Amino acid sequence: MKVKLLINQRPRVVDVEPDEYLLDTLRRHDVLSVKRGCDAASCGVCTVLIDGKPTLSCSVLSARLEGKAITTVEGEREEVTRFYTYFGDEGADQCGFCNPGLALTAISMKRTFDNPSEDDIRRYIVANLCRCSGYVAQVRAIKRYLEESS
Amino acid sequence: MKTVNRKTPSVDGKGIMLGRPAFTDDLADKGSLIIKVLRSPHAFARIKSIDVEKARKHPGVELVLTHRDVPRVAFTRAGQGYPEPSPHDKFVLDEYVRYVGDEVAVVAAIDETIAMEALDLIDIDYEVLDPVLDFEEAIDHESVIHPEDGIREMFPIGFEPKRNIAASYRMDFGDLDKAFSESDVIIEKTFHTQAQAHVMMEPHAVNARLDFQDRLVIISATQTPFHVRRILSQTLDIPIEKIRVIKPRVGGGFGGKQAIHGEMFAALVTMRTGKPSKLVYTRKEVFESTYTRHPMKLHVKLGATKEGALKAIDWHVLSNTGAYGEHALTVFMVAGSKVMPLYNKVDAGRFHGDVVYTNTTPAGAYRGYGAIQGNFALESAVDILCAELGMDPIAFREKNMMREGETSPVFEIMGEGTEGTAMTMETCKLDYCLSRGLELVDWKNIYPRKTLKDGKIRSVGMALAMQGSGIPYIDMGAATIKLNDAGFYNLTVGATDIGQGSDTVLAQIAAETLGVHINKVIVYSSDTDLTPFDTGAYASSTTYVSGNAVHRAALHMREMLIEEAAVVFGVDVESIDFDGATFTNKEDEKTITLEKLANRITYNEDQKQLTATSSYVGTKSPPPFMAGFIDILIDKETGEIEILDYVSVVDCGVPINPKLAQGQVEGGIVQGLGMALYEDVKRTKNGSLISHDLLNYKIPTNMDVKKLTTEFALSHEDSGPYGAKSVGEIGIDTPPAALANAIYNALGIRLTSLPFTPEKIIRALHEKEGEKTS
Amino acid sequence: MKIASLYHPKDVNDALRVSRESKDTVVFGGGAWLKLSPRRVERAVLLDTLNLAEIRVHDDAVVIGAMCTLRSMETHEAILDIGQGILVDALEQIMGVGLRNIATIGGSVMGKYGFSDILPVLLALEASLTFAEAKEMSLESFMASKKRMNDVLLEVSIPRKKAIGYFKKVATTPLDFSLLNVTVVKTDTRITVVLGSRPGGAMGHDVTEYINGANDIDKAVKRAVESVLEAIPLGQNVRATKAYREQLAKTYVRRGLLEVMRDES
Ligand SMILES: Cc1cc2nc3c(=O)[nH]c(=O)nc-3n(C[C@H](O)[C@H](O)[C@H](O)COP(=O)(O)OP(=O)(O)OC[C@H]3O[C@@H](n4cnc5c(N)ncnc54)[C@H](O)[C@@H]3O)c2cc1C
Ligand code: FES
Ligand code: FES
């Protein structure tokens, strides 16, 4: 079946199976920043923005997204670059597999929250698992990004 | 120093965050056949018959492989020095299946749905055998897990498959009986460590294809591309020159990718069909069918005088390697060799025991392997001893621990799978790590405990740790530096960046030596066709071993450049000054820039390509040291623990990249805390996995560890590149013992079996209270 | 889950009719939980176009459409008001925003999950349900019934009473299911304790009689805790033993009761 999606600001009509999940659709269409860590709503590395809201792409059916705006890091180059300046500066990056999903979550936080506390930040990114970093540098980077970059 | 020991952003972080294709599945050929593996539902069984006709005929299926279709060559999947100290006890596919999740058959089809359907069409008749699930009952069990012919050890490692023993080992020094008889206090305790899963965020993935020269190209998320090439060649009888292994970006490894996993199947499928193929593990497969940490039972006996001089350490260890013996002996030995020397003043020591097979997911390499198990046992035992002695555990450690300039007999006796190498500690800032950590954690105000107004108890606990820096005389790393026109360099290394930042660290070392900005050093790892050899990312070897190779190559490049400049000016090399950007003829102060010189030898005069290749193999393995301190809050009604802080003070020599080094320590601490607190591979009575997904296997989130305090001791290891030692593993070692000690300090209960769940704490507390009241 | 086709019903009755046509038909909420199921179905009935994603605020109740996501609930003012934010507190402790932007209240109720962190709170708040066919039903009777409800849930309604709430989720990490969760809600007339993830489905117990009018608060709370433990059976699963659940219940019911009483004074 055909669905019209706005993928990174570009309208695209994609052919999908009824039980195809957004993660598969995106990767099939070469949006490769979106990763698969668990395929079971438990790790956060597949996070994309759907109409601006962080959403696990492994767990939404593509066919239900008619007309929705799907954003990945490929479509947020400027903001991701801004975010990375803090991230790199804090040494928060390691293997990077979790980073695109985390970056989108942080960006959405910047757009929806005023002055989140550290606890708000931690809660908001709690399901973006990372096995490399120990998290503390990530939280520091996000805090600075939210405070300094607006 | 301009680049080394400075804040330097990683060379690749931004591109990865922007989502540029970098990982195996991003780069895989889009037309790849999809490989799916049929896995055993039984913990132990023999395949009586297997019928794959329906699967083969299923439209879209290109190939089905069973044990009848593959070469029968025993090998080990472990990626480590060759010949390996692991038994060759694995076949590509076998008539026996030895754990739930073991490989039965392989299907390659044009898409995933068809491949999955084909798996359902395979009919198997199993003879179900009685599995060995409890490793304490494995030796001489009625069921022999490896009854087959053709398996072997490469050199003596105590391999006795008929007794379910994969390896065994024994060492001792000094007169143990005498040392114990001279001890005023002797304690003995048995500790249990659990299987831990790696849970790197990127599941294992491999893509195979044939290139235009008809060579097999494997792109794999591996920590050891050169070992993969060798093992594939030896096992599948493919000439080694026909194989190219590319390691792209890897999404975490922690030892879990220090082995062959899907590569064997992808290679076979592509060789047989001529088509590209791809195998991406599901999360369940990663849990069920890759590796775990070796569970161990460690019996430790310590003796000391009443003045607190440690006299003897005696260990007996039983380790569980699961169905196959990858890293069986080496992990086992490290439990002693990277722990015992912490207390080097003992008169006598012994370390012995066996590594056994069971019908469970194989155990393999895992960050801090052996060390974390041994550290938990010994550093818990030391606190138990101190309690018996009535001595402050800090004072005890100060009296007995390793110091700079000292040595331990253990270094010479124990290596990894072989004999070791004697060495003195040129750098050991353990005393500083200890005293600084005490300050940072505010030990004197909290130790042993404080009861808060709401009844919760705050307490602290600590442990010391050491690691190594590569394996002497075994681990070799090499680097090539190439000069380009306009004067920038390519650095190619076999060392595998798996997310730990080694590309950045190695580029920093090259940039520092060459006197250029890191942007002028373009680093690439690793590709068996293009990059020089490296044993791989393991054993904390990269910064020290590969870093030394890079340093040498860069020095060599400098020399060659100075020679070229001398030619330009027609003088001796002694007359040339080179600051990385400009060559100055000291005789007449004339200069030429690197850019001009590079262009000249590329395009205009004396044209040539300058490359420098160097390699390094360690003659010792200078250990990094650390002191780890945990500050916790325990709710004694529920056993719940809140971690307030984890203080690490680390001597890793000069941290080449302080932020990345900190990331290595902190990532290790949090993984170690996961193991200490709740991570646990759980099985049913039949041996199938309960913890086969992230709903049932919990790893720490950012809310579980809110504060980490990490500092580095001022230290300079002369044998390391710019004074560096290693830092990749040490962070993981201390949390289990530090937490056990903190729980003891809080509640007076001694937990000896990991992980320390709130429920275990409550149970122990109730037992203790029961003892008191009865 | 394997799905052969998707169906967008014209209206609620159409949804109900189609969902009953065959066993191989399944009604979809957000689909996050269904995704994990190995089942194969012929038809997935999607309620996306039936205007069930609204939250309406009436004088006496907040009415939540079955297709509202958990995230849309937790960010809604009127829901924040309920029981001093108790429902939001529970919602925020379910995985992360990425999941809560998918998971719906409809799926959370109809799944009747033993581990649920939402149902205990809804139960304590005396929520009621509206179905396409069965119409009104209290959540309590829905929970008590063993029968599978072969109906389409349309709305969940939560009375807007002045209430003080306490919610505690005990879990290994913030991404785990509850080992046990404890809800205490105090209104002007009642104090209710609900235990969830026992590991079975949530069960409530009224402790008003022990607390109201008691002189010795500590003694009263102690008796209330005992009565909860007597009334609500706890059991064992991989996450915790019965004994440990009892220990947790004892501790957190006591703390919850003390807290709702403290908040009032
Ligand atoms: C990884 C993961 C972790 C979770 N952790 C927690 C947790 O810690 N605590 C917690 O409380 N919850 C947890 N949940 C559950 C979650 O909160 C939701 O309750 C769950 O996902 C169901 O919501 P859904 O919209 O996804 O439902 P779906 O998956 O769409 O449906 C679930 C069931 O409800 C039925 N259904 C849905 N809507 C209707 C309707 N309107 N009428 C009739 N039947 C309907 C479906 O047929 C199906 O049987 C978790 C879920 C996942 C996937
Ligand atoms: S892939 Fe793990 S949450 Fe989607
Ligand atoms: S950086 Fe590797 S998982 Fe986060």
Side-chain angles (χ1 to χ4, degrees):
Chain A
M1 55 207 299
K2 295 214 185 309
V3 231
K4 203 156 83 203
L5 303 175
L6 197 65
I7 302 178
N8 290 326
Q9 294 94 39
R10 233 181 87 205
R12 286 172 80 160
V13 177
V14 297
D15 209 359
V16 301
E17 297 292 323
D19 52 5
E20 184 171 317
Y21 288 88
L22 179 61
L23 172 58
D24 297 287
T25 308
L26 289 172
R27 288 194 65 87
R28 203 154 55 72
H29 288 86
D30 287 329
V31 185
L32 297 171
S33 68
V34 192
K35 306 299 184 207
R36 187 190 319 270
C38 69
D39 215 21
S42 313
C43 76
V45 303
C46 66
T47 305
V48 301
L49 302 181
I50 300 183
D51 289 345
K53 293 181 192 149
T55 308
L56 302 175
S57 65
C58 70
S59 296
V60 270
L61 291 172
S62 301
R64 295 175 86 172
L65 299 174
E66 179 68 34
K68 301 265 187 208
I70 318 290
T71 309
T72 68
V73 287
E74 285 94 333
E76 286 281 2
R77 255 181 80 180
E78 243 175 72
E79 197 56 37
V80 173
T81 305
R82 197 167 300 136
F83 177 57
Y84 184 75
T85 44
Y86 298 94
F87 211 75
D89 195 59
E90 289 294 343
D93 47 343
Q94 290 198 30
C95 83
F97 204 72
C98 67
N99 288 354
L102 182 66
L104 291 169
T105 312
I107 289 169
S108 107
M109 191 167 14
K110 179 171 157 186
R111 290 178 186 155
T112 42
F113 274 89
D114 297 322
N115 303 320
S117 65
E118 180 172 324
D119 200 57
D120 293 334
I121 296 173
R122 286 182 178 276
R123 254 180 210 292
Y124 204 77
I125 63 168
V126 68
N128 292 86
L129 287 179
C130 174
R131 190 59 153 169
C132 301
S133 69
Y135 300 109
V136 173
Q138 289 186 347
V139 174
R140 263 199 320 265
I142 294 175
K143 223 172 138 186
R144 280 182 55 202
Y145 162 71
L146 296 178
E147 280 164 10
E148 295 170 24
S149 78
S150 14
Chain B
M1 279 185 280
K2 288 206 179 91
T3 310
V4 158
N5 197 221
R6 293 282 162 115
K7 190 154 152 179
T8 310
S10 66
V11 296
D12 39 27
K14 184 173 153 192
I16 302 242
M17 188 171 276
L18 281 163
R20 307 275 156 72
F23 297 89
T24 299
D25 194 29
D26 304 345
L27 305 175
D29 196 308
K30 287 195 90 173
S32 292
L33 297 176
I34 300 300
I35 301 175
K36 286 281 162 192
V37 180
L38 184 66
R39 298 187 177 278
S40 170
H42 304 294
F44 194 23
R46 196 179 64 83
I47 299 169
K48 286 201 288 196
S49 69
I50 178 163
D51 180 359
V52 297
E53 275 323 297
K54 274 182 283 175
R56 278 204 176 117
K57 288 197 186 116
H58 192 55
V61 171
E62 300 256 338
L63 187 71
V64 181
L65 297 171
T66 71
H67 65 94
R68 293 191 302 255
D69 311 308
V70 296
R72 191 168 169 79
V73 178
F75 68 105
T76 176
R77 294 178 295 180
Q80 52 185 160
Y82 180 74
E84 300 96 338
S86 295
H88 283 208
D89 58 5
K90 175 87 179 78
F91 297 91
V92 179
L93 290 169
D94 196 7
E95 167 190 13
Y96 286 93
V97 283
R98 298 184 177 81
Y99 68 97
V100 175
D102 205 352
E103 298 116 358
V104 174
V106 174
V107 168
I110 54 171
D111 68 30
E112 182 169 337
T113 311
I114 295 173
M116 297 296 284
E117 286 164 0
L119 293 186
D120 286 343
L121 296 173
I122 298 175
D123 287 324
I124 306 162
D125 191 7
Y126 289 105
E127 176 190 352
V128 178
L129 304 167
D130 180 26
V132 184
L133 296 172
D134 178 352
F135 77 105
E136 297 188 36
E137 288 173 5
I139 296 179
D140 298 328
H141 194 281
E142 272 175 32
S143 292
V144 176
I145 296 170
H146 284 278
E148 70 278 14
D149 292 332
I151 54 175
R152 65 199 170 116
E153 56 192 340
M154 303 298 282
F155 53 86
I157 58 168
F159 180 55
E160 288 182 81
K162 296 287 179 295
R163 302 186 59 206
N164 289 330
I165 296 176
S168 48
Y169 178 78
R170 179 194 174 90
M171 69 78 92
D172 56 55
F173 62 91
D175 185 339
L176 207 60
D177 291 339
K178 182 159 168 277
F180 279 119
S181 72
E182 288 168 8
S183 299
D184 301 307
V185 174
I186 294 172
I187 63 112
E188 281 187 72
K189 202 88 195 171
T190 302
F191 300 89
H192 283 91
T193 67
Q194 82 277 36
Q196 183 185 20
H198 301 74
V199 201
M200 66 297 273
M201 282 296 124
E202 180 204 25
H204 299 64
V206 56
N207 173 228
R209 57 182 89 173
L210 291 167
D211 71 5
F212 62 94
Q213 295 180 358
D214 207 30
R215 293 170 74 236
L216 178 66
V217 181
I218 303 277
I219 301 178
S220 176
T222 179
Q223 292 173 237
T224 56
F226 289 91
H227 294 317
V228 168
R229 182 178 67 175
R230 172 178 48 77
I231 297 169
L232 287 180
S233 161
Q234 288 171 346
T235 311
L236 301 180
D237 199 21
I238 307 169
I240 192 161
E241 65 278 10
K242 283 273 185 196
I243 306 174
R244 172 180 181 189
V245 179
I246 299 171
K247 172 223 69 94
R249 186 68 179 188
V250 176
F254 316 118
K257 293 171 180 168
Q258 193 194 329
I260 289 260
H261 288 286
E263 291 93 339
M264 204 62 88
F265 301 133
L268 271 170
V269 168
T270 291
M271 296 293 288
R272 300 261 169 110
T273 61
K275 295 179 184 172
S277 68
K278 174 170 103 169
L279 174 51
V280 180
Y281 278 48
T282 62
R283 182 53 64 184
K284 183 175 179 214
E285 285 179 305
V286 176
F287 275 116
E288 196 174 72
S289 307
T290 65
Y291 278 162
T292 69
R293 188 186 289 294
H294 288 78
M296 289 187 189
K297 176 186 176 190
L298 308 102
H299 182 83
V300 179
K301 183 175 168 190
L302 301 179
T305 65
K306 53 180 187 304
E307 292 76 30
L310 188 62
K311 300 288 278 180
I313 307 178
D314 186 17
W315 314 63
H316 181 269
V317 178
L318 186 70
S319 171
N320 177 5
T321 190
Y324 301 98
E326 286 97 355
H327 300 273
L329 177 64
T330 44
V331 173
F332 178 85
M333 288 178 72
V334 166
S337 67
K338 298 229 170 93
V339 181
M340 240 195 301
L342 279 171
Y343 298 101
N344 61 327
K345 295 170 187 66
V346 292
D347 295 342
R350 179 168 64 164
F351 183 90
H352 64 136
D354 304 291
V355 190
V356 297
Y357 288 117
T358 58
N359 292 108
T360 56
T361 300
Y366 191 157
R367 191 183 214 172
Y369 78 25
I372 188 170
Q373 293 98 323
N375 192 282
F376 164 56
L378 185 60
E379 284 294 83
S380 297
V382 163
D383 268 34
I384 296 172
L385 178 68
C386 290
E388 284 292 309
L389 280 167
M391 188 168 176
D392 176 54
I394 304 297
F396 180 90
R397 284 182 172 85
E398 282 170 342
K399 189 177 168 101
N400 291 286
M401 72 191 184
M402 174 73 85
R403 303 254 171 185
E404 200 157 86
E406 295 180 355
T407 185
S408 157
V410 175
F411 292 127
E412 186 170 359
I413 303 170
M414 298 176 90
E416 284 202 33
T418 54
E419 281 171 11
T421 310
M423 57 179 169
T424 342
M425 300 301 95
E426 308 291 342
T427 48
C428 173
K429 308 295 178 198
L430 206 43
D431 46 351
Y432 171 82
C433 296
L434 183 58
S435 61
R436 178 67 182 147
L438 291 169
E439 258 168 54
L440 287 171
V441 80
D442 196 17
W443 184 273
K444 69 174 188 303
N445 286 317
I446 306 172
Y447 177 81
R449 86 189 70 82
K450 268 178 138 167
T451 305
L452 306 191
K453 268 204 235 77
D454 61 3
K456 289 189 184 165
I457 298 174
R458 183 167 178 193
S459 75
V460 282
M462 61 85 55
L464 304 176
M466 58 175 284
Q467 272 287 337
S469 299
I471 309 171
Y473 300 105
I474 291 181
D475 288 344
M476 188 270 275
T480 297
I481 296 176
K482 174 170 77 114
L483 175 74
N484 295 289
D485 48 341
F488 76 99
Y489 304 96
N490 288 110
L491 167 65
T492 51
V493 288
T496 37
D497 193 316
I498 50 169
Q500 81 284 45
S502 66
D503 281 356
T504 302
V505 164
L506 296 177
Q508 278 179 274
I509 292 171
E512 183 72 44
T513 316
L514 293 164
V516 292
H517 191 271
I518 190 170
N519 291 350
K520 297 280 179 202
V521 179
I522 310 304
V523 59
Y524 178 68
S525 75
S526 346
D527 178 329
T528 57
D529 269 9
L530 305 180
T531 61
F533 183 85
D534 196 289
T535 31
Y538 58 87
S540 289
S541 60
T542 302
T543 300
Y544 183 76
V545 176
S546 314
N548 263 323
V550 171
H551 183 52
R552 285 183 175 183
L555 286 174
H556 186 199
M557 175 54 75
R558 272 186 75 95
E559 279 167 22
M560 287 193 291
L561 286 167
I562 289 170
E563 278 169 27
E564 291 303 324
V567 172
V568 174
F569 294 123
V571 295
D572 284 346
V573 289
E574 285 76 38
S575 306
I576 302 292
D577 245 0
F578 178 43
D579 66 2
T582 311
F583 302 87
T584 309
N585 179 358
K586 284 187 269 189
E587 288 165 20
D588 60 5
E589 297 296 315
K590 279 214 175 104
T591 61
I592 180 170
T593 61
L594 172 66
E595 182 181 350
K596 281 224 174 87
L597 181 83
N599 284 338
R600 175 187 142 107
I601 62 172
T602 308
Y603 298 114
N604 312 119
E605 274 174 77
D606 296 330
Q607 287 95 322
K608 59 176 67 93
Q609 174 65 58
L610 293 188
T611 60
T613 297
S614 293
S615 52
Y616 184 84
V617 57
T619 55
K620 58 178 186 172
S621 175
F625 293 92
M626 79 167 272
F629 301 81
I630 195 167
D631 179 1
I632 57 170
L633 202 58
I634 298 192
D635 185 330
K636 68 171 193 277
E637 284 183 283
T638 64
E640 290 168 286
I641 294 176
E642 187 185 335
I643 294 164
L644 302 176
D645 194 5
Y646 202 99
V647 172
S648 312
V649 186
V650 183
D651 165 13
C652 62
V654 172
I656 304 286
N657 187 317
K659 285 280 180 191
L660 292 180
Q662 185 177 345
Q664 283 302 298
V665 173
E666 294 184 345
I669 295 292
V670 172
Q671 259 175 36
L673 284 171
M675 174 160 167
L677 289 163
Y678 36 71
E679 289 188 37
D680 200 0
V681 172
K682 290 196 181 118
R683 292 190 181 80
T684 64
K685 277 200 222 61
N686 308 324
S688 59
L689 217 54
I690 297 168
S691 54
H692 58 59
D693 56 28
L694 286 164
L695 276 175
N696 291 293
Y697 187 92
K698 289 291 145 195
I699 64 169
T701 71
N702 85 66
M703 308 255 293
D704 297 298
V705 188
K706 294 191 183 160
K707 188 166 175 227
L708 298 170
T709 304
T710 309
E711 284 192 7
F712 294 97
L714 219 55
S715 166
H716 188 284
E717 169 63 37
D718 287 345
S719 70
Y722 294 104
K725 299 191 274 188
S726 79
V727 71
E729 294 185 276
I730 184 136
I732 206 168
D733 296 339
T734 57
L739 181 59
N741 293 339
I743 293 171
Y744 177 81
N745 292 339
L747 305 171
I749 52 172
R750 174 54 64 180
L751 297 184
T752 54
S753 172
L754 285 164
F756 311 135
T757 58
E759 173 153 9
K760 267 191 204 163
I761 292 171
I762 288 301
R763 213 180 302 137
L765 209 52
H766 285 176
E767 270 165 30
K768 183 180 150 213
E769 278 157 11
E771 274 165 28
K772 246 191 272 164
T773 48
S774 62
Chain C
M1 169 165 285
K2 284 266 157 205
I3 308 161
S5 71
L6 304 178
Y7 184 75
H8 292 275
K10 285 197 303 291
D11 54 29
V12 168
N13 290 331
D14 190 29
L16 187 65
R17 181 183 58 78
V18 171
S19 70
R20 287 177 175 177
E21 266 176 9
S22 106
K23 273 218 173 83
D24 281 340
T25 305
V26 63
V27 177
F28 257 64
W33 191 258
L34 284 171
K35 144 115 192 178
L36 305 178
S37 153
R39 260 177 82 189
R40 282 165 188 273
V41 294
E42 275 310 307
R43 210 147 38 161
V45 181
L46 303 176
L47 311 178
D48 302 4
T49 52
L50 302 185
N51 289 328
L52 292 174
E54 266 175 40
I55 298 175
R56 297 196 313 276
V57 186
H58 301 293
D59 287 347
D60 57 342
V62 180
V63 179
I64 305 162
M67 288 301 286
C68 282
T69 64
L70 304 186
R71 182 76 185 150
S72 70
M73 289 169 63
E74 76 193 63
T75 47
H76 197 284
E77 296 257 332
I79 295 182
L80 210 80
D81 270 352
I82 296 174
Q84 296 182 333
I86 185 179
L87 185 54
V88 172
D89 195 17
L91 291 167
E92 279 182 345
Q93 294 185 57
I94 297 171
M95 300 300 282
V97 276
L99 177 76
R100 300 203 300 277
N101 272 324
I102 301 173
T104 60
I105 187 67
S108 302
V109 170
M110 295 306 286
K112 258 198 208 179
Y113 310 106
F115 59 75
S116 179
D117 298 312
I118 308 170
L119 290 170
V121 178
L122 291 179
L123 200 60
L125 293 169
E126 299 172 46
S128 60
L129 311 175
T130 309
F131 288 94
E133 186 185 61
K135 308 294 176 207
E136 290 275 325
M137 178 188 265
S138 72
L139 178 67
E140 194 178 352
S141 26
F142 171 80
M143 293 288 288
S145 145
K146 293 241 163 29
K147 243 186 29 232
R148 206 180 79 85
M149 192 83 192
N150 192 6
D151 204 334
V152 175
L153 177 69
L154 303 180
E155 286 171 355
V156 177
S157 166
I158 307 172
R160 291 178 78 193
K161 280 189 209 157
K162 197 164 149 289
I164 304 166
Y166 168 92
F167 177 77
K168 174 70 193 180
K169 169 174 182 170
V170 183
T172 302
T173 78
L175 301 188
D176 199 10
F177 294 142
S178 296
L179 273 63
L180 183 81
N181 58 48
V182 177
T183 307
V184 183
V185 168
K186 180 176 188 308
T187 63
D188 289 343
T189 52
R190 273 179 75 175
I191 302 179
T192 315
V193 174
V194 180
L195 302 185
S197 219
R198 308 174 292 108
M203 284 176 72
H205 183 59
D206 188 328
V207 296
T208 322
E209 57 176 304
Y210 303 97
I211 308 284
N212 278 3
N215 298 327
D216 184 337
I217 288 295
D218 287 334
K219 223 186 226 158
V221 166
K222 197 159 169 250
R223 282 176 47 214
V225 171
E226 278 162 14
S227 78
V228 169
L229 280 159
E230 259 165 49
I232 306 179
L234 298 173
Q236 155 137 18
N237 68 353
V238 280
R239 282 182 169 69
T241 60
K242 178 173 155 69
Y244 185 58
R245 281 203 167 86
E246 282 168 359
Q247 178 70 22
L248 288 175
K250 244 190 259 172
T251 309
Y252 285 111
V253 172
R254 188 194 75 234
R255 289 182 190 173
L257 286 169
L258 289 173
E259 188 169 311
V260 296
M261 290 187 305
R262 185 168 47 237
D263 275 12
E264 192 185 32
S265 54

